Amino acid sequence: MFARSLLSVALVISANSLAQSQTADSFAPEQASNITHKKQVVATKFMVSAANPLAVEAGYEVLKAGGNAVDAMIAVQSVLGLVEPQSSGIGGGAFVVYFDAEKSQLTSFDARETAPLAADSSLFLDDSGKPLQFYDAVVGGRSVGTPGVIALFETLHKRYGKTTWGDLFQPAIGLANEGFRVSPRLAKLIAGDQQRLGRFSESRRYFFDDSATPLPEGHLLKNPDYAKTLTLVAKQGAAGFYRGTTAEAMIAAVTQLNDKNGRLSLADLSAYEVKERPALCAPYHQYSVCGMGPPSSGASTVGQILGIAAHYPLDKWGPNNIHSWRILGDASRLAFADRGKYLADGDFVDVPLKGLLSSDYIKSRADLLKREKALKSVSAGQVVTTTARAKDHSIELPSTTHISIVDAQGNVLSMTSSVENAFGSRIMVNGFLLNNQLTDFSFVGEKDGQMVANRVESGKRPRSSMAPTIVMENKQPIIAIGSPGGSSIIGYVAKALVGHLSWGMSLQQAIEQPHLNNRFGTYDLEANTSAALQQQALEDLGYKTKIKDMTSGLQGIRIYPDKLVGAADPRREGIAKGD
C-alpha cells in the first residue's frame, strides 16, 4: 500500500504545487539581478531540499509516511539519477555526513568511486608519456571508477532504515516506466554536449530523437531499462547491481565500447566497500563546521578558509566591504595551495590534517593577510608529513548534486553525489550513466622526483571537492548544506556559511548572494550580478578577475528548536519541501 502511494504521488506531481514564489530581500546590494529569488520553506516536523522537484516529492512522501532521513535519501537519489542524470546517479559515487539523533552522534560515509585494481599512474598518459587532454580522458571507459551509490544505499539502510527496502525505489521505477518531462536544464545540457554524448549508441538513443536532434524541454522521456535495473536492486539488494547481469553489462560497456582503455572488472565491483569515517570538524567562532574528510578535500579546505577568516572582523565589515572579499579570497587561495599539495585518499598517503587545521597553523596563515592588498603569490604551508609532495595536476569541472534532509526524529543527512563531469563518461548502460570520476586524479604522478599525493593508484579513491556539511552548535546540528560545482563547491559552501552565520542573512539569502570565488589566483565573479560591480575594486587590490557563470546548486536546511527552514539555490531547479 505504501509503495503504491509513493508511486501514484510521483506520477501526478503538479508544476503549480511545486512553484516557488519570490521573497523580499533586505540585502539588496548583494543580490543578483539575474536570479529569481526563492521563498524559504518553513516546517515543524521534517524537511527535504534537493535539486529537482520530482525527487523532492519522492523524499517528502517517504518522510510523510513515517520513513526517516536515510529512507528519504534513497528515494530522492534514485529519482535524481533518472531526472537529473547529468549530475548524479547509481553509476556514480557520494559522500554522506549523518547526525544520529538518538545517539547524538555525528559520522560520515565514504561511497567514493575507486580506481580499478588494474589502474596505475599511466592511466591518463598517452603513448609518449604526456598527459591526455581532459575530454580525451573523460569520454569512454578509461575514466570509469567503481560506482558506490548502491552500496551506500544498502549500508545506510541496514543500519538506519525504517521503510521496507523495495518500496523506496518505487517512485523512480514508476517515473521511469511512465515517463517524466525533460527539464529546461537537462535539455540545455544535452544540446550543449551533443558531440560527446552522441558518441555511444545507448546514450545517443536515449538523449536524442531518431533524427539525432537533442531532446527538447518538455519531451516525455521514458527509461524502462532504468526501471528494470532498480527492480533488480529492489529485489536482490546491492548484489543485484554489483553481481549478475547489471555488473556484466557495466564491464562490457567500459571495456568494449569504441576503445579498449577501460580497466574496470567484475572483481572491482564485487570487492567494493563503503567506508565509515569520522566526520571532520573545524571551528568557526562558536560553531563547529563538520564534513567529509579525505578522500574529500571539502571539509578541510572549507575549515581552513573559515578558520583564517575568523581572525578578521567580517561580521563588522559585512558583505559590502571589499576587504571582506580580500580576506575570503586570499584565505581560499592559501587553503587551495595546501589542498593541492597535501590532500588525497588518506588510506594511501599521509594527509596531515591535524597540522593543517591546528590553531597555530591557521593563525600563521591568517597573519599573511595583515596587509591592504592581495597576496602577490601563495604557496602551500609547511606541515609535517612522511614524504615530500609535488603539486597536484587534476581538473574538476562543475556537475554533481546535493541533498539535505531532516526527519521527524531529528536525524540530519547531508549528501553530495556525483558522476563527476556532466553526463560522466557518457557511457550509458542498462538505463544509467557511468561516472568519469577517475579524472579527479592527477594525470601526472610525479614531478621533479616528488610524488603527487593524488596520483592514480590501484584501488585508490580520487580526491574530491564535495563538501556535504553539517554545522553544529552546542553539540547539536543547526545547518545541513552542500552544493555541486567542481572545486568551486568549497567556495560556495564557505560563502553561504559566512553570509548566514556572520552577516545576518537568512540561509536562503546567503545562498542567493552573488558568488565571488578565488581558488587559484583569479577572482571569479558571477556574471550578470552585483558581484561583477566589484571587478575594479578587486583589480585595484591586485587581483586578476574573470566574470563568468557560476551555477551553484546549494541545498540547505536551517534547524531551529521550534522549526525547520528549507532553502534552495535558484540557479538550478531545486526546491525544499516539508511539513
Side-chain angles (χ1 to χ4, degrees):
M1 185 70 177
F2 174 64
R4 288 198 297 273
S5 173
L6 280 179
L7 176 57
S8 63
V9 167
L11 297 179
V12 299
I13 294 173
S14 163
N16 290 334
S17 70
L18 298 173
Q20 298 290 300
S21 61
Q22 294 187 354
T23 182
D25 198 339
S26 60
F27 290 88
E30 288 72 55
Q31 294 307 304
S33 59
N34 69 331
I35 295 176
T36 301
H37 304 313
K38 290 187 176 180
K39 183 179 179 181
Q40 63 185 19
V41 178
V42 180
T44 57
K45 297 177 182 177
F46 57 79
M47 182 75 70
V48 55
S49 179
N52 183 279
L54 294 169
V56 169
E57 191 71 15
Y60 171 86
E61 290 298 325
V62 169
L63 294 170
K64 187 176 181 180
N68 63 21
V70 165
D71 298 327
M73 176 274 289
I74 294 171
V76 171
Q77 178 63 79
S78 298
V79 173
L80 285 175
L82 174 69
V83 301
E84 196 195 36
Q86 74 275 12
S87 295
S88 70
I90 63 174
F95 296 125
V96 165
V97 182
Y98 185 75
F99 178 78
D100 183 335
E102 183 178 358
K103 297 181 179 179
S104 294
Q105 182 181 70
L106 191 68
T107 187
S108 67
F109 295 88
D110 172 3
R112 183 69 161 164
E113 298 88 337
T114 55
L117 297 173
D120 57 32
S121 59
S122 69
L123 184 65
F124 296 119
L125 303 179
D126 63 19
D127 292 339
S128 64
K130 295 181 179 180
L132 294 170
Q133 295 296 310
F134 182 68
Y135 280 109
D136 290 339
V138 166
V139 181
R142 187 196 303 259
S143 65
V144 180
T146 313
V149 166
I150 292 293
L152 178 71
F153 287 174
E154 185 169 83
T155 298
L156 292 184
H157 190 264
K158 283 183 176 179
R159 181 179 299 192
Y160 301 111
K162 292 177 61 181
T163 305
T164 301
W165 167 264
D167 291 351
L168 298 172
F169 299 95
Q170 296 309 310
I173 291 170
L175 283 168
N177 281 325
E178 298 296 328
F180 65 97
R181 298 292 174 182
V182 173
S183 73
R185 180 172 174 79
L186 177 54
K188 180 181 178 180
L189 290 170
I190 294 171
D193 201 59
Q194 188 169 0
Q195 183 178 2
R196 290 184 287 265
L197 196 56
R199 178 174 164 182
F200 302 114
S201 58
E202 189 168 344
S203 302
R204 188 166 58 248
R205 285 194 300 269
Y206 185 68
F207 291 108
F208 302 88
D209 66 17
D210 293 339
S211 62
T213 301
L215 297 181
E217 175 187 343
H219 175 86
L220 183 65
L221 182 57
K222 299 180 181 182
N223 192 340
D225 289 340
Y226 187 64
K228 291 176 184 177
T229 298
L230 290 186
T231 298
L232 273 177
V233 172
K235 292 179 178 178
Q236 300 177 13
F241 183 83
Y242 291 97
R243 295 176 176 82
T245 57
T246 302
E248 291 165 359
M250 281 191 278
I251 302 309
V254 165
T255 58
Q256 296 175 22
L257 278 176
N258 285 25
D259 64 61
K260 302 292 183 181
N261 294 307
R263 304 190 189 183
L264 193 68
S265 70
L266 290 172
D268 294 309
L269 295 174
S270 63
Y272 185 82
E273 292 182 348
V274 173
K275 297 194 175 186
E276 183 177 8
R277 303 184 189 275
L280 180 62
C281 298
Y284 181 62
H285 300 302
Q286 72 266 38
Y287 310 104
S288 185
V289 180
C290 301
M292 191 76 220
S296 181
S297 63
S300 60
T301 311
V302 168
Q304 283 192 309
I305 293 169
L306 295 178
I308 292 169
H311 284 78
Y312 294 88
L314 266 62
D315 56 338
K316 295 180 180 179
W317 291 350
N320 290 327
N321 188 318
I322 197 63
H323 287 287
S324 291
W325 298 107
R326 179 180 64 82
I327 295 300
L328 288 172
D330 278 350
S332 177
R333 292 170 66 198
L334 291 169
F336 267 83
D338 284 345
R339 169 186 176 273
K341 185 171 183 179
Y342 297 115
L343 268 293
D345 185 346
D347 292 341
F348 284 74
V349 298
D350 173 31
V351 181
L353 289 174
K354 288 185 178 179
L356 291 171
L357 293 171
S358 73
S359 58
D360 288 345
Y361 180 74
I362 292 295
K363 183 179 184 301
S364 73
R365 300 294 265 175
D367 286 345
L368 297 174
L369 308 188
K370 291 181 178 179
R371 50 191 290 132
E372 294 299 315
K373 297 282 189 177
L375 293 173
K376 292 183 178 180
S377 63
V378 301
S379 59
Q382 297 300 313
V383 294
V384 177
T385 61
T386 56
T387 57
R389 301 285 172 78
K391 183 179 178 182
D392 177 75
H393 294 266
S394 61
I395 301 172
E396 293 180 68
L397 295 182
S399 185
T400 311
T401 198
H402 184 80
I403 303 165
S404 293
I405 302 173
V406 178
D407 65 25
Q409 293 74 45
N411 301 306
V412 182
L413 183 145
S414 184
M415 172 180 177
T416 310
S417 178
S418 183
V419 292
E420 211 283 336
N421 192 234
F423 303 104
S425 66
R426 277 66 171 184
I427 296 175
M428 196 169 198
V429 54
N430 289 17
F432 61 93
L433 287 163
L434 292 172
N435 68 84
N436 69 289
Q437 214 69 251
L438 299 186
T439 57
D440 276 358
F441 282 118
S442 175
F443 286 17
V444 176
E446 64 174 280
K447 185 178 181 182
D448 299 328
Q450 294 184 342
M451 302 302 292
V452 175
N454 187 39
R455 64 190 179 274
V456 181
E457 296 182 78
S458 170
K460 190 177 183 179
R461 301 176 189 226
R463 188 190 63 204
S464 171
S465 296
M466 294 192 289
T469 300
I470 294 178
V471 179
M472 307 288 286
E473 184 178 22
N474 298 323
K475 298 183 179 181
Q476 292 299 310
I478 63 166
I479 300 171
I481 196 169
S483 179
S487 61
S488 294
I489 290 171
I490 290 164
Y492 295 154
V493 170
K495 183 216 67 173
L497 292 178
V498 170
H500 180 63
L501 298 176
S502 292
W503 290 341
M505 299 178 181
S506 70
L507 190 59
Q508 184 65 46
Q509 291 168 337
I511 285 171
E512 290 183 3
Q513 67 172 320
H515 292 309
L516 299 88
N517 197 8
N518 195 330
R519 295 163 292 166
F520 308 113
T522 297
Y523 225 127
D524 296 328
L525 309 175
E526 187 175 6
N528 301 312
T529 75
S530 58
L533 301 178
Q534 303 286 359
Q535 184 174 29
Q536 188 59 56
L538 289 167
E539 290 179 352
D540 290 344
L541 291 178
Y543 292 107
K544 296 179 181 179
T545 63
K546 182 178 181 180
I547 297 174
K548 57 185 286 188
D549 292 334
M550 301 176 74
T551 52
S552 58
L554 289 150
Q555 304 290 150
I557 301 172
R558 181 62 162 94
I559 305 161
Y560 295 97
D562 60 342
K563 65 181 178 180
L564 303 168
V565 180
D569 200 325
R571 298 170 181 87
R572 299 201 185 193
E573 297 168 339
I575 65 167
K577 187 172 183 178
D579 268 359

